[in-house]
Amino acid sequence: MTHIIILGCGFGGLSAARELASADVRITLIDRSNHHLFQPLLYQVATAGLSAPAIAAPIRHILARQHNLTTLMAEVTAVEPARRVVVLDDGSELAFDYLIVATGSRHSYFGHDEWANVAPGLKTLEDAFELRRRSLLAFEYAERETDESRRAAWLTFAVIGAGATGVEMAGTLAEIARHTLHGEFRRIDSRHARVVLIEGSDRVLPPFPADLSEQARRQLVKLGVEVRTGCRVTGIDADGVTFSSAGGEETLASKTVVWAAGVEASPLGKSLGVPLDRAGRVVVAPDLSIPEHAEIFVIGDLAAAVSDGKPVPGVSPAAKQMGRTAARNILHRVRGEATVPFKYADYGSLATIGRKSAVAMLGRIKFSGYPAWLFWLFVHIYFLIGFRSRLMVMTDWAWSYFTFARNARIVVGPDDRTGPKTDPKQ
Amino acid sequence: MTHIIILGCGFGGLSAARELASADVRITLIDRSNHHLFQPLLYQVATAGLSAPAIAAPIRHILARQHNLTTLMAEVTAVEPARRVVVLDDGSELAFDYLIVATGSRHSYFGHDEWANVAPGLKTLEDAFELRRRSLLAFEYAERETDESRRAAWLTFAVIGAGATGVEMAGTLAEIARHTLHGEFRRIDSRHARVVLIEGSDRVLPPFPADLSEQARRQLVKLGVEVRTGCRVTGIDADGVTFSSAGGEETLASKTVVWAAGVEASPLGKSLGVPLDRAGRVVVAPDLSIPEHAEIFVIGDLAAAVSDGKPVPGVSPAAKQMGRTAARNILHRVRGEATVPFKYADYGSLATIGRKSAVAMLGRIKFSGYPAWLFWLFVHIYFLIGFRSRLMVMTDWAWSYFTFARNARIVVGPDDRTGPKTDPKQ
């Protein structure tokens, strides 16, 4: 029987697997984690609004009833197209007839890997826990700090990159400082915390039209975020961020830095031995297969795909659509039919900023503020995997909307930014 | 103004703090974590039934409106009774007029600290995450394993100690193997997993009457647990557990071992310089103060207290009651009045075993099975801190009761029991 291997169970891999549910094939879905993650809401875990299980579900559980599919939790170290095998972390190999590579992207420090420890990004649940720990503990350390300038550095949050993730993080951190934590400290006033959003280009949310960017900027300022556009970051260390702008070089003293400035494609793309674009993405044919290997498809953030002459953006609806097209093209090939080219259906763009704030663009319709936020809310809850998660998220959000409370403010594990380590056994 | 320091925000410390809410004193509550933990339900986090925020709440948030109280997240390294100061991890000192030490207990390996890495215990959220990761990944590794005996070791779970925690863990692990995971794997049958509960004494739940112990044993067996009483553990390593019984020495090949066999008091007790009992607990006076320092009180699991000539058990109702008595005795002292002796009100004992299984003893009334389980459920939901948590827990449980699904089956972070490490950045 035809054996299809799918690498990665993000939006792309999962939609490909589901598209093949009733096909007479054997599927192996390999992911290095045990869960599918609803990444658009990951910033809510990082900012203590949602617990991890609310936005993540075991892959095995989601696909338990798809009997032509085996889930394998394993790390794939390489693909060998010539031999049609994938190599796992334990050295074993798995042969395929068709392969879908959907291993996505990770954050990139543009050659400054030394920034990774002081400015974590946000791609996985581990990342979200790390950012949650750092943000919440910063207020705790500020409460203990007696030196005024060190206290100010604990109460300054720098978010680098004003794309969707950066804007969400900055808006939500400002909301936490101004509302959630207000009245819970005795020595500091959490409302005095500074949230500084640093962006290299001349406006926030660069992929959006200029007027929506301006709307987003105004909403951020209203939430209490300091927006600094046109600022190029030149250094990050344990004490803060250095950046240069038209006004010269500046240093912002900050103990909590969030990296939201860029991504690079999964390194698995390299092992395919085909041309990559500047961001490391695999340049795919119109049917999403790769040159010289019509049985290998690359989808999602790892693919540099083109539809109607325009590059396909790295967003979840595009990944899902590519997953379906790749799955169908495999079935076409199995039946000896011609494949079809991928066509991206763009339903619009949405970005949330914080409580009651968002911008939306649906075709030519643009709107912002509270209506956009409500629209964003319903779209995201609707697309969350499974009824259970939807229920949990709705309960959590209804609660926090009315009370400003954030329900997952639990810090677990040590923090390496200060003093002596806690002995976990004590 | 009189300054009271409370060390530890478990059940004892929290109830002491609340008892002092309207007193004309200044209180500093110090805990090394940011959350109060509802420990009786911790095994539900370890077995993926509940998310961490469902059973933990930020201390600051719980006590935000108590204006005579400051919360400090810090590690206390020592108490110096003679100078009336506590020493923090950064070397700074805080002076007190009265002190309540409520830092509880941690698990003890009885001199075999080398077992800690292979057989984690269950006291903190970190512990619960570690056990959750190990239990869930064991099934994943079994699915990948081709060697039959190694696969069997991955599918064998050893729980050491048949007190309340051990019985809960064993019963719930059996439920996961038989129900939750059934049908989600393709190569293994999760129902074939073995859960072995190893106990040194001759029956499970030793503090309960013998007939209830026997009821508990029967319910465990019905859930699929192998109960081995009268077995003394002599060795634990990465491959399994060695124990001796009347039948001689045996080795159980198991890759997942849970330590639930014993606790020892917090090491802070030592720094008080007063007599300790064999378990390291502080021997307190009838009013819960310590010898020669009438201004220092020790409560909860750290205290060896006596009420009506009987030792007070290390359970949460006792800790709460001691917290209230210590707080009142401080107010008595402040007013120059005589202190009152602690009197333990024993409302009964309860232990849950798994789905629909529990044993209960209320005074002379003993019952078990489904009625005891329902009773246990309502008592625990009732006592959970805050309406929000109660709602979350009830929703989660109603859901998992009807579907057998477990909602927090999310694995985060690496596991050191197998093969190559995952590069968290890839």
Side-chain angles (χ1 to χ4, degrees):
Chain A
M1 197 184 286
T2 303
H3 182 216
I4 303 170
I5 293 182
I6 301 174
L7 303 185
C9 189
F11 288 110
L14 184 58
S15 90
R18 283 183 157 160
E19 187 69 25
L20 295 164
S22 55
D24 192 23
V25 295
R26 193 164 63 83
I27 308 163
T28 304
L29 174 58
I30 306 178
D31 197 289
R32 64 160 174 240
S33 87
N34 84 327
H35 51 274
H36 169 78
L37 182 65
F38 192 80
Q39 223 159 8
L41 291 181
L42 191 57
Y43 82 97
Q44 283 282 350
V45 174
T47 55
L50 292 174
S51 70
I55 63 156
I59 297 168
R60 238 172 238 306
H61 184 68
I62 301 173
L63 296 166
R65 287 182 194 163
Q66 185 166 332
H67 294 287
N68 65 356
L69 182 142
T70 299
T71 304
L72 206 58
M73 181 179 163
E75 178 93 22
V76 171
T77 53
V79 177
E80 295 193 15
R83 294 170 53 224
R84 288 199 189 169
V85 295
V86 300
V87 185
L88 303 187
D89 48 1
D90 61 359
S92 67
E93 297 181 349
L94 270 179
F96 59 83
D97 298 309
Y98 293 92
L99 176 70
I100 297 178
V101 187
T103 46
S105 59
R106 55 182 192 176
H107 35 264
S108 159
Y109 291 90
F110 307 126
H112 286 282
D113 285 347
E114 73 276 15
W115 294 351
N117 284 332
V118 282
L122 184 60
K123 267 283 167 192
T124 64
L125 277 178
E126 283 95 334
D127 296 338
F129 288 149
E130 179 63 24
L131 287 177
R132 183 171 85 187
R133 173 167 37 227
R134 285 173 172 248
S135 314
L136 295 176
L137 290 184
F139 289 96
E140 298 292 338
Y141 297 143
E143 177 86 346
R144 282 186 69 176
E145 183 60 64
T146 49
D147 177 86
E148 210 162 309
S149 70
R150 281 202 296 266
R151 177 184 286 180
W154 282 117
L155 286 177
T156 302
F157 298 83
V159 179
I160 300 173
T165 301
V167 164
E168 287 159 352
M169 285 298 299
T172 315
L173 285 172
E175 188 188 318
I176 289 174
R178 268 152 200 67
H179 297 286
T180 309
L181 299 181
H182 173 49
E184 296 194 4
F185 291 85
R186 301 290 180 254
R187 302 174 189 178
I188 60 166
D189 184 338
S190 68
R191 292 175 301 179
H192 295 159
R194 291 174 67 194
V195 180
V196 185
L197 179 61
I198 300 167
E199 163 66 30
S201 76
D202 62 347
R203 57 194 176 91
V204 304
L205 296 176
F208 280 77
D211 52 343
L212 282 183
S213 287
E214 177 55 22
Q215 285 294 338
R217 191 191 62 75
R218 282 190 205 158
Q219 295 179 65
L220 282 164
V221 170
K222 208 172 145 195
L223 286 165
V225 176
E226 299 172 35
V227 180
R228 300 292 308 267
T229 49
C231 293
R232 207 171 57 85
V233 170
T234 53
I236 312 175
D237 61 22
D239 295 319
V241 183
T242 305
F243 54 93
S244 59
S245 65
E249 190 154 88
E250 270 176 73
T251 293
L252 179 72
S254 165
K255 300 296 273 183
T256 313
V257 184
V258 180
W259 182 259
V263 293
E264 64 186 9
S266 147
L268 263 193
K270 278 192 205 111
S271 74
L272 295 172
V274 291
L276 308 178
D277 75 356
R278 270 201 325 167
R281 295 180 306 168
V282 177
V283 180
V284 293
D287 68 354
L288 304 178
S289 67
I290 63 170
E292 289 168 47
H293 287 281
E295 72 284 1
I296 298 180
F297 295 80
V298 179
I299 62 172
D301 286 359
L302 181 56
V306 170
S307 169
D308 289 333
K310 283 186 293 192
V312 178
V315 295
S316 55
K320 285 188 202 175
Q321 294 171 27
M322 287 194 244
R324 282 193 291 269
T325 299
R328 283 178 200 157
N329 278 340
I330 287 175
L331 297 181
H332 282 309
R333 285 249 161 79
V334 169
R335 296 189 209 110
E337 300 164 2
T339 58
V340 297
F342 173 65
K343 208 165 155 17
Y344 173 50
D346 184 357
Y347 298 113
S349 303
L350 261 173
T352 183
I353 294 154
R355 193 174 170 76
K356 299 195 207 174
S357 314
V359 291
M361 182 174 58
L362 308 177
R364 293 184 182 191
I365 308 168
K366 298 185 246 179
F367 54 116
S368 64
Y370 193 49
W373 182 76
L374 276 182
F375 184 75
W376 173 88
L377 192 71
F378 286 107
V379 166
H380 280 78
I381 291 175
Y382 180 80
F383 280 112
L384 253 187
I385 296 285
F387 168 73
R388 184 67 186 75
S389 290
R390 264 173 237 170
L391 189 78
M392 279 179 75
V393 171
M394 277 194 284
T395 319
D396 277 11
W397 279 355
W399 184 263
S400 66
Y401 184 80
F402 291 110
T403 62
F404 277 107
R406 296 184 79 82
N407 160 24
R409 277 170 50 202
I410 308 302
V411 174
V412 174
D415 187 282
D416 59 5
R417 290 172 302 165
T418 185
K421 285 280 179 16
T422 300
D423 173 9
K425 271 202 67 204
Q426 190 176 322
Chain B
M1 196 184 286
T2 303
H3 183 215
I4 302 170
I5 293 183
I6 301 174
L7 302 184
C9 188
F11 288 111
L14 183 59
S15 90
R18 283 182 158 160
E19 187 69 25
L20 295 165
S22 55
D24 192 23
V25 295
R26 193 163 64 84
I27 308 163
T28 304
L29 174 58
I30 306 179
D31 197 289
R32 64 161 174 241
S33 86
N34 84 327
H35 51 273
H36 170 77
L37 182 65
F38 192 81
Q39 223 159 9
L41 290 182
L42 191 57
Y43 82 97
Q44 282 283 350
V45 174
T47 55
L50 291 174
S51 69
I55 63 156
I59 296 167
R60 241 175 234 305
H61 184 68
I62 301 173
L63 296 167
R65 288 179 195 166
Q66 186 166 335
H67 293 287
N68 65 356
L69 183 142
T70 298
T71 303
L72 205 58
M73 181 177 163
E75 179 92 23
V76 171
T77 52
V79 176
E80 295 192 17
R83 295 172 50 226
R84 287 198 190 169
V85 295
V86 300
V87 184
L88 304 187
D89 47 3
D90 60 359
S92 66
E93 297 181 348
L94 270 178
F96 59 81
D97 298 308
Y98 293 92
L99 176 70
I100 299 179
V101 187
T103 46
S105 60
R106 54 181 194 177
H107 36 263
S108 159
Y109 292 91
F110 306 126
H112 286 281
D113 284 346
E114 72 277 15
W115 295 350
N117 284 331
V118 283
L122 185 60
K123 267 283 169 193
T124 64
L125 277 178
E126 282 96 333
D127 296 339
F129 289 148
E130 179 65 25
L131 288 177
R132 183 170 86 186
R133 175 167 35 227
R134 284 173 173 249
S135 314
L136 295 176
L137 290 184
F139 289 97
E140 298 291 338
Y141 296 143
E143 177 86 347
R144 282 186 70 175
E145 183 61 65
T146 49
D147 177 87
E148 211 162 310
S149 72
R150 281 201 297 264
R151 176 183 288 179
W154 282 117
L155 287 176
T156 301
F157 298 82
V159 179
I160 301 173
T165 300
V167 164
E168 287 159 353
M169 284 298 298
T172 314
L173 284 171
E175 188 189 318
I176 289 175
R178 268 151 199 69
H179 298 285
T180 309
L181 299 181
H182 172 49
E184 296 194 3
F185 291 85
R186 301 290 180 254
R187 302 172 189 178
I188 60 166
D189 184 338
S190 67
R191 292 172 302 180
H192 295 160
R194 291 174 68 193
V195 180
V196 186
L197 178 61
I198 301 167
E199 163 66 29
S201 76
D202 62 346
R203 57 191 175 93
V204 303
L205 295 176
F208 280 76
D211 52 344
L212 282 183
S213 287
E214 177 55 22
Q215 285 295 338
R217 191 192 62 76
R218 281 189 205 160
Q219 294 179 66
L220 282 164
V221 169
K222 210 172 144 195
L223 286 165
V225 175
E226 299 172 35
V227 180
R228 300 292 307 267
T229 49
C231 293
R232 207 171 56 85
V233 171
T234 53
I236 313 176
D237 61 23
D239 296 320
V241 182
T242 306
F243 54 93
S244 59
S245 65
E249 191 154 88
E250 269 177 75
T251 294
L252 178 72
S254 165
K255 299 296 273 182
T256 313
V257 183
V258 180
W259 182 261
V263 292
E264 65 186 8
S266 149
L268 264 192
K270 278 191 206 112
S271 74
L272 295 173
V274 292
L276 309 177
D277 75 357
R278 270 203 323 168
R281 295 180 305 168
V282 176
V283 181
V284 291
D287 69 354
L288 304 177
S289 67
I290 62 170
E292 288 169 48
H293 288 281
E295 73 285 2
I296 298 180
F297 295 81
V298 179
I299 62 174
D301 287 0
L302 180 57
V306 170
S307 169
D308 289 332
K310 282 185 296 192
V312 179
V315 295
S316 54
K320 285 188 204 175
Q321 294 172 25
M322 287 194 242
R324 284 192 290 269
T325 300
R328 283 177 200 157
N329 278 341
I330 287 176
L331 296 182
H332 283 308
R333 284 251 162 78
V334 169
R335 296 188 210 108
E337 300 164 3
T339 59
V340 298
F342 174 66
K343 207 163 155 24
Y344 173 50
D346 185 358
Y347 298 113
S349 303
L350 261 172
T352 182
I353 294 154
R355 193 178 170 74
K356 298 193 207 176
S357 315
V359 291
M361 182 175 57
L362 308 178
R364 293 182 181 192
I365 307 168
K366 297 185 245 179
F367 55 115
S368 64
Y370 193 50
W373 182 76
L374 276 182
F375 183 74
W376 173 89
L377 192 69
F378 286 108
V379 166
H380 280 77
I381 290 176
Y382 180 79
F383 280 112
L384 253 187
I385 295 284
F387 168 73
R388 183 67 187 74
S389 290
R390 265 175 235 169
L391 189 80
M392 277 179 77
V393 170
M394 276 194 283
T395 318
D396 277 11
W397 279 356
W399 184 263
S400 67
Y401 184 82
F402 290 110
T403 63
F404 277 107
R406 295 185 80 79
N407 158 26
R409 277 170 51 203
I410 309 301
V411 174
V412 173
D415 188 282
D416 60 4
R417 291 172 303 163
T418 183
K421 286 280 179 19
T422 299
D423 170 6
K425 271 205 64 203
Q426 191 177 320

